Amino acid sequence: MTVATRFDWDDRYLVGHQPMDDTHREFGALVDSMLRADDVSLGSVLEAFACHAEAHFASERRLMDQYAFPARDCHVAEQQRVLDSVHEV
């Protein structure tokens, strides 16, 4: 198994909605920060990621509800698994 040591943004992650694309870039930067963090800084980086993810996912849920996104339930379940993992750590 290969363990990632960094996360590089790629424009294939763009969804075409500028505010959400900006949020996804922030998300990616925080993932990259977690991958690069040492033992001393990991706790604060993880906390920053958790705060961002909670706000990010809530915003996405509002948009998915507003536009009746067909895969809403699956996406929300995936988001919840991420949050559960973060809170477990």
Side-chain angles (χ1 to χ4, degrees):
M1 177 173 96
T2 302
V3 176
T5 57
R6 64 179 299 147
F7 177 85
D8 293 314
W9 177 261
D10 188 306
D11 283 349
R12 67 189 165 122
Y13 304 129
L14 295 172
V15 297
H17 182 262
Q18 190 64 49
M20 192 53 60
D21 287 336
D22 292 343
T23 299
H24 286 155
R25 282 188 187 94
E26 284 179 50
F27 187 89
L30 286 163
V31 168
D32 187 57
S33 293
M34 285 189 298
L35 292 169
R36 295 169 179 260
D38 59 22
D39 291 347
V40 173
S41 63
L42 182 58
S44 63
V45 173
L46 187 61
E47 180 65 30
F49 175 81
C51 290
H52 171 86
E54 289 169 2
H56 172 167
F57 295 165
S59 176
E60 278 193 358
R61 281 191 300 275
R62 285 189 297 274
L63 287 169
M64 288 187 289
D65 290 343
Q66 180 180 352
Y67 294 102
F69 184 64
R72 180 206 179 279
D73 292 344
C74 178
H75 201 67
V76 168
E78 290 171 351
Q79 292 172 338
Q80 190 58 54
R81 283 192 292 277
V82 169
L83 291 175
D84 290 347
S85 293
V86 168
H87 293 292
E88 183 178 325
V89 172

